[in-house]
Amino acid sequence: MESRAGISKQDIREQIWDYMESQNLADFPRPVHHRIPNFKGASRAAEHLPRLQAFKMARTIKVNPDAPQKNARFFVLDSRKTLLVPTPRLRTGLFNRITPPPGATKDILRKCATSQGVRNYSTPVGLDARVLVDLVVVGSVAVSEKGWRIGKGEGYADLEYAMMVSMGAVGQGTPVVTIVHDCQVVDIPEALLEDHDLTVDYILTPTRVITTGCERPKPTGIMWSKISNEMMGKIPILRSLRYQEQQAGKDVTLQDEHRRLQDTRSQQPAPPSTVRRPRDPSQLESGSVQGDHGPPNTVYVGNLPWDTRVSELKRALRELGAAPLRLTWQGPQHRAFLHYQDLASAQQAVSCLQGLRLGTNTLKVALARQQRASDPPGSRAGEPHPDPDPTI
């Protein structure tokens, strides 16, 4: 297909979607509009993947959870490589590691590669995990032979890559592959590309393998000026990454804040925080606390420094966007319990608070009902006592 001159990214998307629908080139789900198309021949296109030298050399491969990449996920598992799949819409974190059961047959591996298998056999990978991704596989709506790529318009693939850069998981030399139908390979004007757009190095279709030789730099990290407050609210892990980069002295001014700063130049800077998150936070313990069996919407925070005040913890929670409905303070036991509206809110808080430090201590954070780590020496398990001033 040829794209018309003087058109927008959305025009190209609509052109591809309309053509695939009219020619019946896609499988379920239909219609393909506003989706990464699950095109007919996706499995055949993915068969090129194991033949790439970049695949043969890779040990850890990130593959998007879209339906047309199902066979690509299978090949990663069948080759006994580590498969990472982004969490849907990044709601609960960035990656899940797919771990098939011991002795899994090819049929089981194929099930693990499905969307249901991704849910059933996944283990979350935290921000503090030292992950190095050797190869990235993404879906596309349109792509050019030069390596320019257009997604479905929500920006998740671009953001996932930028977040991986911020984590140190990928670099400019990490190859990116996309798997598409032949009709999705079109001319894309370079003028449509922005700095945050991800480019690709290999294009796999049912009939060919295209090496793009793309030299345009890939995103070098999260462009906070492109991130809205609404997106920050939807993606908790962004709040953690922003806090880390803020502590490292980077400019993390959000899109909405840029607009406000243009209108108001007299805002006073916020007082410096006493809460610090390390660049290399130590691995958190997972599991649960002996003796405390809180409801599922309760988060345990342990290993608090002996001289920590409740106000310091509250301030850290506010800065990370993880303020609870109520806080139960047990300072003498070096711990606290955070009570949220529901389980989903509690899980988001656990994700946000990974690697959080107060003073010199890295806090232990987990759902209260799952935490198995012992309390600090000399502490006593018992029922939480509400903080006399629970307002955050």
Side-chain angles (χ1 to χ4, degrees), residues 60-111:
T60 300
I61 302 177
K62 182 229 115 176
V63 184
N64 274 29
D66 307 305
Q69 274 75 57
K70 181 176 68 173
N71 216 31
R73 295 191 292 272
F74 164 73
F75 284 129
V76 174
L77 295 174
D78 192 45
S79 300
R80 300 298 186 263
K81 300 177 185 291
T82 298
L83 172 62
L84 300 179
V85 178
T87 58
R89 296 184 178 271
L90 305 175
R91 288 191 188 98
T92 58
L94 179 54
F95 293 133
N96 283 312
R97 178 182 287 108
I98 311 306
T99 307
T105 63
K106 286 186 182 293
D107 286 340
I108 295 296
L109 293 179
R110 290 190 185 280
K111 290 180 181 177

Side-chain angles (χ1 to χ4, degrees), residues 8 27 37 95 230 259 269 359:
S8 67
D27 290 324
F95 293 133
E230 180 183 7
R259 291 171 182 163

Side-chain angles (χ1 to χ4, degrees), residues 40-199:
K40 293 180 179 179
S43 294
R44 189 163 68 255
E47 290 175 0
H48 297 299
L49 183 62
R51 301 169 193 153
L52 293 178
Q53 187 64 23
F55 179 92
K56 294 176 182 176
M57 296 176 62
R59 291 184 295 179
T60 300
I61 302 177
K62 182 229 115 176
V63 184
N64 274 29
D66 307 305
Q69 274 75 57
K70 181 176 68 173
N71 216 31
R73 295 191 292 272
F74 164 73
F75 284 129
V76 174
L77 295 174
D78 192 45
S79 300
R80 300 298 186 263
K81 300 177 185 291
T82 298
L83 172 62
L84 300 179
V85 178
T87 58
R89 296 184 178 271
L90 305 175
R91 288 191 188 98
T92 58
L94 179 54
F95 293 133
N96 283 312
R97 178 182 287 108
I98 311 306
T99 307
T105 63
K106 286 186 182 293
D107 286 340
I108 295 296
L109 293 179
R110 290 190 185 280
K111 290 180 181 177
C112 292
T114 64
S115 57
Q116 183 64 45
V118 167
R119 289 192 292 270
N120 292 344
Y121 297 99
S122 64
T123 304
V125 177
L127 279 180
D128 49 351
R130 296 182 180 275
V131 175
L132 183 61
V133 177
D134 304 306
L135 182 66
V136 174
V137 181
V138 297
S140 302
V141 172
V143 65
S144 78
E145 292 191 11
K146 293 181 179 180
W148 314 155
R149 173 190 172 275
I150 296 177
K152 59 186 176 183
E154 295 181 342
Y156 283 105
D158 301 325
L159 183 56
E160 287 163 8
Y161 186 89
M163 291 166 72
M164 288 191 289
V165 172
S166 295
M167 293 173 60
V170 297
Q172 286 295 320
T174 306
V176 177
V177 178
T178 193
I179 302 174
V180 296
H181 192 275
D182 288 277
C183 76
Q184 293 174 260
V185 183
V186 298
D187 292 330
I188 298 175
E190 186 173 4
L192 294 181
L193 269 65
E194 300 179 70
D195 290 342
H196 65 271
D197 286 329
L198 179 62
T199 57

Side-chain angles (χ1 to χ4, degrees), residues 364-385:
K364 299 177 181 178
V365 182
L367 291 176
R369 63 175 181 168
Q370 294 178 346
Q371 174 72 18
R372 287 193 222 117
S374 298
D375 287 341
S379 68
R380 292 180 298 170
E383 293 298 320
H385 300 291

Side-chain angles (χ1 to χ4, degrees), residues 6 65 125 144 208 273 308:
V125 177
S144 78
R208 20 177 212 163
S273 172
T308 298

Side-chain angles (χ1 to χ4, degrees), residues 159-345:
L159 183 56
E160 287 163 8
Y161 186 89
M163 291 166 72
M164 288 191 289
V165 172
S166 295
M167 293 173 60
V170 297
Q172 286 295 320
T174 306
V176 177
V177 178
T178 193
I179 302 174
V180 296
H181 192 275
D182 288 277
C183 76
Q184 293 174 260
V185 183
V186 298
D187 292 330
I188 298 175
E190 186 173 4
L192 294 181
L193 269 65
E194 300 179 70
D195 290 342
H196 65 271
D197 286 329
L198 179 62
T199 57
V200 303
D201 303 290
Y202 299 97
I203 303 169
L204 311 184
T205 79
T207 65
R208 20 177 212 163
V209 174
I210 302 170
T211 303
T212 67
C214 184
E215 296 182 357
R216 183 183 177 92
K218 293 181 173 64
T220 56
I222 300 172
M223 297 183 66
W224 295 105
S225 60
K226 300 285 187 181
I227 305 295
S228 66
N229 283 324
E230 180 183 7
M231 187 174 290
M232 290 290 290
K234 291 179 179 178
I235 307 175
I237 194 173
L238 270 179
R239 300 200 289 268
S240 299
L241 280 170
R242 183 178 183 235
Y243 188 80
Q244 286 181 347
E245 296 202 355
Q246 184 181 43
Q247 297 303 300
K250 296 183 180 179
D251 181 2
V252 295
T253 307
L254 300 180
Q255 183 182 78
D256 311 271
E257 294 170 347
H258 269 293
R259 291 171 182 163
R260 286 198 298 270
L261 287 171
Q262 289 174 355
D263 298 331
T264 307
R265 297 291 182 181
S266 59
Q267 293 180 359
Q268 294 297 319
S273 172
T274 59
V275 183
R276 293 176 288 122
R277 182 192 293 275
R279 295 188 185 184
D280 258 342
S282 59
Q283 195 76 308
L284 287 177
E285 294 185 34
S286 61
S288 63
V289 188
Q290 294 178 354
D292 288 299
H293 303 284
N297 60 337
T298 299
V299 173
Y300 163 84
V301 179
N303 198 34
L304 292 165
W306 67 271
D307 56 349
T308 298
R309 297 185 178 186
V310 66
S311 59
E312 293 178 275
L313 178 59
K314 287 181 178 181
R315 178 164 52 186
L317 296 173
R318 284 196 301 269
E319 289 178 354
L320 288 170
L325 295 176
R326 184 168 60 86
L327 184 151
T328 299
W329 179 252
Q330 294 187 353
Q333 285 79 38
H334 310 284
R335 65 190 179 194
F337 293 88
L338 315 179
H339 309 280
Y340 293 89
Q341 183 174 359
D342 49 35
L343 177 58
S345 300

Side-chain angles (χ1 to χ4, degrees), residues 9-20:
K9 287 182 180 179
Q10 188 60 26
D11 291 332
I12 295 175
R13 293 184 188 103
E14 296 291 345
Q15 179 185 0
I16 296 292
W17 289 329
D18 289 346
Y19 182 82
M20 296 188 78

